[in-house]
Amino acid sequence: WAIDRRNRRAYLWPKGGEVVASWTRNFVRAEGLSDVTFDGFAFRNVRGDALLFEDCRKVTVQGCTLSACGAWGIVFWNGSDNRAEGNDLFHLGEGGICVSGGERSTLTPGRTVAINNHIGWFGERLWSYRPGVSLGSMTDQYTTAAVGCAVEHNLIHHSRHMAVSIQ
């Protein structure tokens, strides 16, 4: 890894081109993160949610491959202006992408989106109520709104229950 302090960037060069962490719960678990892009990573073999972003703003996950995850691939819980675009997610224990954010009482939009993702072979551990894309809450643990959030042009296939859930 390397840090470019002048441009405020951190770089990670995984050995062999992919990140494998079967002993950990998440590859990335961030709270309050802002203005960060994950581009072109391959995340494989993790026990829980691969990428979990809580109350984050302007986080983009693009062109990444997430596979063999014990729970969800990408979770945007609350926060705003987040984006999952052009990712491949497959062989997931629970669901693919959870999109949430915004405020129901004031109708403040969260503007979190899932666009052009390829999501397949999910819900392998928990068969029901684990969709390819969830707008809003995904479990009792993560219950929230999805006001002003969007799901567009995703290829979702090979599920035991449902493709999209709207809470």
Side-chain angles (χ1 to χ4, degrees):
W1 59 273
I3 295 179
D4 180 354
R5 294 187 193 283
R6 179 177 293 153
N7 293 315
R8 299 182 58 168
R9 293 181 183 227
Y11 297 95
L12 169 69
W13 287 275
K15 191 174 187 177
E18 69 179 31
V19 179
V20 177
S22 59
W23 64 90
T24 187
R25 176 87 178 122
N26 312 97
F27 282 114
V28 175
R29 182 181 178 105
E31 185 176 340
L33 187 68
S34 67
D35 300 294
V36 174
T37 298
F38 295 87
D39 188 358
F41 285 99
F43 298 100
R44 191 170 62 105
N45 296 333
V46 69
R47 292 180 334 157
D49 306 318
L51 307 175
L52 175 61
F53 302 102
E54 181 181 342
D55 297 319
C56 294
R57 189 173 165 273
K58 293 186 180 177
V59 173
T60 300
V61 179
Q62 64 186 24
C64 294
T65 301
L66 297 97
S67 64
C69 300
W72 287 78
I74 302 170
V75 176
F76 290 116
W77 185 32
N78 292 329
S80 65
D81 301 299
N82 298 307
R83 182 177 201 86
E85 182 172 7
N87 300 294
D88 293 315
L89 297 94
F90 54 96
H91 296 297
L92 306 169
E94 294 188 34
I97 301 172
C98 181
V99 174
S100 70
E103 181 64 45
R104 270 194 189 140
S105 61
T106 61
L107 294 180
T108 304
R111 295 180 300 275
T112 295
V113 296
I115 300 174
N116 295 328
N117 296 289
H118 179 190
I119 306 164
W121 298 280
F122 56 92
E124 293 185 333
R125 188 173 62 87
L126 295 176
W127 293 4
S128 58
Y129 296 101
R130 297 302 187 265
V133 178
S134 175
L135 274 164
S137 54
M138 57 179 209
T139 64
D140 293 338
Q141 180 182 2
Y142 302 106
T143 303
T144 187
V147 177
C149 297
V151 177
E152 303 174 7
H153 308 290
N154 294 286
L155 173 61
I156 303 172
H157 60 89
H158 285 87
S159 166
R160 293 188 165 114
H161 190 214
M162 68 175 133
V164 178
S165 170
I166 302 171
Q167 301 291 322

PDB file of all heavy atoms in Angstrom, residues 105-117:
ATOM      1  N   SER A 105     -39.598  11.459   6.618  1.00  0.00           N
ATOM      2  CA  SER A 105     -40.458  12.489   7.225  1.00  0.00           C
ATOM      3  C   SER A 105     -40.351  13.834   6.504  1.00  0.00           C
ATOM      4  O   SER A 105     -41.323  14.578   6.430  1.00  0.00           O
ATOM      5  CB  SER A 105     -40.120  12.657   8.708  1.00  0.00           C
ATOM      6  OG  SER A 105     -38.791  13.075   8.856  1.00  0.00           O
ATOM      7  N   THR A 106     -39.182  14.151   5.954  1.00  0.00           N
ATOM      8  CA  THR A 106     -38.998  15.425   5.246  1.00  0.00           C
ATOM      9  C   THR A 106     -38.870  15.234   3.739  1.00  0.00           C
ATOM     10  O   THR A 106     -38.730  16.214   3.006  1.00  0.00           O
ATOM     11  CB  THR A 106     -37.737  16.133   5.754  1.00  0.00           C
ATOM     12  OG1 THR A 106     -36.604  15.289   5.501  1.00  0.00           O
ATOM     13  CG2 THR A 106     -37.844  16.448   7.235  1.00  0.00           C
ATOM     14  N   LEU A 107     -38.900  13.980   3.275  1.00  0.00           N
ATOM     15  CA  LEU A 107     -38.709  13.623   1.876  1.00  0.00           C
ATOM     16  C   LEU A 107     -37.380  14.146   1.313  1.00  0.00           C
ATOM     17  O   LEU A 107     -37.276  14.530   0.160  1.00  0.00           O
ATOM     18  CB  LEU A 107     -39.881  14.089   1.017  1.00  0.00           C
ATOM     19  CG  LEU A 107     -41.211  13.394   1.306  1.00  0.00           C
ATOM     20  CD1 LEU A 107     -42.299  13.934   0.401  1.00  0.00           C
ATOM     21  CD2 LEU A 107     -41.083  11.892   1.138  1.00  0.00           C
ATOM     22  N   THR A 108     -36.366  14.149   2.144  1.00  0.00           N
ATOM     23  CA  THR A 108     -35.025  14.519   1.714  1.00  0.00           C
ATOM     24  C   THR A 108     -34.432  13.337   0.949  1.00  0.00           C
ATOM     25  O   THR A 108     -34.349  12.239   1.481  1.00  0.00           O
ATOM     26  CB  THR A 108     -34.130  14.842   2.922  1.00  0.00           C
ATOM     27  OG1 THR A 108     -34.758  15.865   3.694  1.00  0.00           O
ATOM     28  CG2 THR A 108     -32.750  15.279   2.492  1.00  0.00           C
ATOM     29  N   PRO A 109     -34.003  13.542  -0.304  1.00  0.00           N
ATOM     30  CA  PRO A 109     -33.497  12.419  -1.099  1.00  0.00           C
ATOM     31  C   PRO A 109     -32.106  11.961  -0.664  1.00  0.00           C
ATOM     32  O   PRO A 109     -31.264  12.771  -0.279  1.00  0.00           O
ATOM     33  CB  PRO A 109     -33.459  12.977  -2.521  1.00  0.00           C
ATOM     34  CG  PRO A 109     -33.353  14.444  -2.363  1.00  0.00           C
ATOM     35  CD  PRO A 109     -34.050  14.784  -1.074  1.00  0.00           C
ATOM     36  N   GLY A 110     -31.896  10.657  -0.751  1.00  0.00           N
ATOM     37  CA  GLY A 110     -30.586  10.091  -0.434  1.00  0.00           C
ATOM     38  C   GLY A 110     -29.667  10.032  -1.639  1.00  0.00           C
ATOM     39  O   GLY A 110     -28.457  10.009  -1.506  1.00  0.00           O
ATOM     40  N   ARG A 111     -30.242   9.951  -2.837  1.00  0.00           N
ATOM     41  CA  ARG A 111     -29.496   9.937  -4.094  1.00  0.00           C
ATOM     42  C   ARG A 111     -28.435   8.840  -4.164  1.00  0.00           C
ATOM     43  O   ARG A 111     -27.377   9.030  -4.747  1.00  0.00           O
ATOM     44  CB  ARG A 111     -28.885  11.308  -4.371  1.00  0.00           C
ATOM     45  CG  ARG A 111     -29.902  12.398  -4.605  1.00  0.00           C
ATOM     46  CD  ARG A 111     -29.260  13.739  -4.887  1.00  0.00           C
ATOM     47  NE  ARG A 111     -28.419  14.205  -3.806  1.00  0.00           N
ATOM     48  CZ  ARG A 111     -28.839  14.872  -2.739  1.00  0.00           C
ATOM     49  NH1 ARG A 111     -30.102  15.167  -2.617  1.00  0.00           N
ATOM     50  NH2 ARG A 111     -28.003  15.262  -1.801  1.00  0.00           N
ATOM     51  N   THR A 112     -28.707   7.690  -3.567  1.00  0.00           N
ATOM     52  CA  THR A 112     -27.819   6.534  -3.693  1.00  0.00           C
ATOM     53  C   THR A 112     -28.374   5.653  -4.798  1.00  0.00           C
ATOM     54  O   THR A 112     -29.569   5.425  -4.863  1.00  0.00           O
ATOM     55  CB  THR A 112     -27.736   5.775  -2.357  1.00  0.00           C
ATOM     56  OG1 THR A 112     -27.120   6.641  -1.397  1.00  0.00           O
ATOM     57  CG2 THR A 112     -26.899   4.517  -2.485  1.00  0.00           C
ATOM     58  N   VAL A 113     -27.494   5.163  -5.672  1.00  0.00           N
ATOM     59  CA  VAL A 113     -27.951   4.425  -6.848  1.00  0.00           C
ATOM     60  C   VAL A 113     -27.152   3.136  -7.056  1.00  0.00           C
ATOM     61  O   VAL A 113     -25.992   3.032  -6.671  1.00  0.00           O
ATOM     62  CB  VAL A 113     -27.867   5.292  -8.126  1.00  0.00           C
ATOM     63  CG1 VAL A 113     -28.784   6.476  -8.039  1.00  0.00           C
ATOM     64  CG2 VAL A 113     -26.446   5.739  -8.394  1.00  0.00           C
ATOM     65  N   ALA A 114     -27.825   2.174  -7.699  1.00  0.00           N
ATOM     66  CA  ALA A 114     -27.191   0.934  -8.175  1.00  0.00           C
ATOM     67  C   ALA A 114     -27.479   0.852  -9.664  1.00  0.00           C
ATOM     68  O   ALA A 114     -28.623   0.685 -10.068  1.00  0.00           O
ATOM     69  CB  ALA A 114     -27.757  -0.276  -7.441  1.00  0.00           C
ATOM     70  N   ILE A 115     -26.446   0.993 -10.492  1.00  0.00           N
ATOM     71  CA  ILE A 115     -26.608   1.084 -11.943  1.00  0.00           C
ATOM     72  C   ILE A 115     -25.687   0.089 -12.657  1.00  0.00           C
ATOM     73  O   ILE A 115     -24.491   0.004 -12.338  1.00  0.00           O
ATOM     74  CB  ILE A 115     -26.279   2.507 -12.435  1.00  0.00           C
ATOM     75  CG1 ILE A 115     -27.197   3.528 -11.784  1.00  0.00           C
ATOM     76  CG2 ILE A 115     -26.387   2.609 -13.949  1.00  0.00           C
ATOM     77  CD1 ILE A 115     -26.841   4.949 -12.109  1.00  0.00           C
ATOM     78  N   ASN A 116     -26.250  -0.626 -13.631  1.00  0.00           N
ATOM     79  CA  ASN A 116     -25.483  -1.496 -14.528  1.00  0.00           C
ATOM     80  C   ASN A 116     -24.637  -2.545 -13.814  1.00  0.00           C
ATOM     81  O   ASN A 116     -23.514  -2.820 -14.224  1.00  0.00           O
ATOM     82  CB  ASN A 116     -24.589  -0.669 -15.463  1.00  0.00           C
ATOM     83  CG  ASN A 116     -25.388   0.179 -16.415  1.00  0.00           C
ATOM     84  OD1 ASN A 116     -26.477  -0.201 -16.835  1.00  0.00           O
ATOM     85  ND2 ASN A 116     -24.867   1.339 -16.747  1.00  0.00           N
ATOM     86  N   ASN A 117     -25.156  -3.129 -12.772  1.00  0.00           N
ATOM     87  CA  ASN A 117     -24.444  -4.189 -12.059  1.00  0.00           C
ATOM     88  C   ASN A 117     -24.928  -5.548 -12.555  1.00  0.00           C
ATOM     89  O   ASN A 117     -26.051  -5.696 -13.005  1.00  0.00           O
ATOM     90  CB  ASN A 117     -24.688  -4.069 -10.551  1.00  0.00           C
ATOM     91  CG  ASN A 117     -24.127  -2.777 -10.006  1.00  0.00           C
ATOM     92  OD1 ASN A 117     -22.936  -2.607  -9.910  1.00  0.00           O
ATOM     93  ND2 ASN A 117     -25.011  -1.842  -9.680  1.00  0.00           N
TER      94      ASN A 117
END
